[in-house]
Amino acid sequence: MTDGEAGRGRESAGGRENTRGIHETGEGGHETRQGAHPDGQEGHENGRGRRETADERADRQWQDLMQEIRVVQTGVQILLGFLLTVAFTPRFESLGSTDKGIYILTVVLGSLATGALIAPVPFHRIVAGRRIKPQAVTWASRLTFLGIVLLLATLTSALFLILRVATDNSIVPWIVAGVAAWYLLCWFALPVWSRYRYTAQRKE
């Protein structure tokens, strides 16, 4: 073999090694990208600015929901505890039949609100391990929203009862209506307005 043939052989071998090295690097880069999103489709952006699978989204939504329920449960439990003690006070016996009826309605509404807001916890315990986390989040969200509506009714009824006892009955409906309107504005109107406005702007 001449020196020229040997040189060409080395160049050919070196070219094959370089080609193999580039190919392996490319495969490694491809594997790295797949590692970030294992199956390609599940790791896609879901339209809400997050890259997450359906299970990851359900886990995040469940954690958010639990934080929200903790905030609401504290208020409704304190309110219900206060209402339950009213029946054992001396002043309760002096209430008229109408006021006692309002009180009973308020206690029932508070109990219903408490039940709806606690419901997601036993719901999750019963269905845990069944791989239906997205459905559990959906039902827990509905129960939470129902609990908030019942809490609104409880607060309105309790305020109506207290004001009837504490002040002139002629202005009570106006005060209660104003406070109820404030609840509706803060809890429902503003979120719905923000959702419509900013979602529309993002689509544009």
Side-chain angles (χ1 to χ4, degrees):
M1 180 182 292
T2 64
D3 294 340
E5 290 176 346
R8 285 194 298 272
R10 287 192 297 270
E11 290 177 358
S12 178
R16 286 195 299 270
E17 289 175 357
N18 290 338
T19 303
R20 185 169 63 252
I22 295 173
H23 181 67
E24 289 173 355
T25 302
E27 288 180 351
H30 181 65
E31 289 174 357
T32 301
R33 288 192 297 271
Q34 285 186 341
H37 307 291
D39 56 7
Q41 292 182 352
E42 288 188 0
H44 70 285
E45 188 170 351
N46 60 20
R48 288 188 289 272
R50 294 178 183 269
R51 293 182 181 272
E52 55 189 5
T53 66
D55 290 337
E56 289 172 345
R57 182 166 60 254
D59 290 338
R60 174 178 57 82
Q61 291 174 340
W62 183 264
Q63 294 298 326
D64 292 343
L65 184 62
M66 289 298 101
Q67 294 295 331
E68 295 165 0
I69 290 176
R70 288 189 185 97
V71 173
V72 181
Q73 277 183 345
T74 301
V76 71
Q77 288 173 353
I78 293 174
L79 176 61
L80 182 61
F82 167 76
L83 290 172
L84 293 176
T85 62
V86 171
F88 301 98
T89 61
R91 182 68 183 272
F92 181 78
E93 295 298 331
S94 63
L95 296 178
S97 58
T98 302
D99 292 334
K100 287 183 178 180
I102 297 173
Y103 169 78
I104 293 173
L105 175 64
T106 304
V107 171
V108 172
L109 289 172
S111 300
L112 293 175
T114 302
L117 293 172
I118 294 178
V121 177
F123 191 101
H124 182 263
R125 282 296 88 208
I126 293 174
V127 304
R130 301 297 179 179
R131 299 184 181 276
I132 58 172
K133 191 66 166 289
Q135 292 80 4
V137 170
T138 299
W139 280 104
S141 298
R142 293 172 180 173
L143 289 168
T144 302
F145 189 83
L146 176 61
I148 292 173
V149 173
L150 290 170
L151 176 59
L152 171 63
T154 304
L155 290 171
T156 304
S157 180
L159 180 64
F160 186 69
L161 174 62
I162 292 172
L163 291 180
R164 276 178 57 90
V165 176
T167 188
D168 186 6
N169 290 340
S170 61
I171 63 173
V172 169
W174 297 101
I175 298 176
V176 173
V179 174
W182 176 250
Y183 287 152
L184 292 172
L185 175 64
C186 295
W187 294 3
F188 302 104
L190 284 178
V192 170
W193 173 79
S194 298
R195 177 177 178 176
Y196 172 78
R197 176 177 179 180
Y198 296 112
T199 302
Q201 289 181 351
R202 185 171 56 189
K203 288 182 179 178
E204 293 175 359

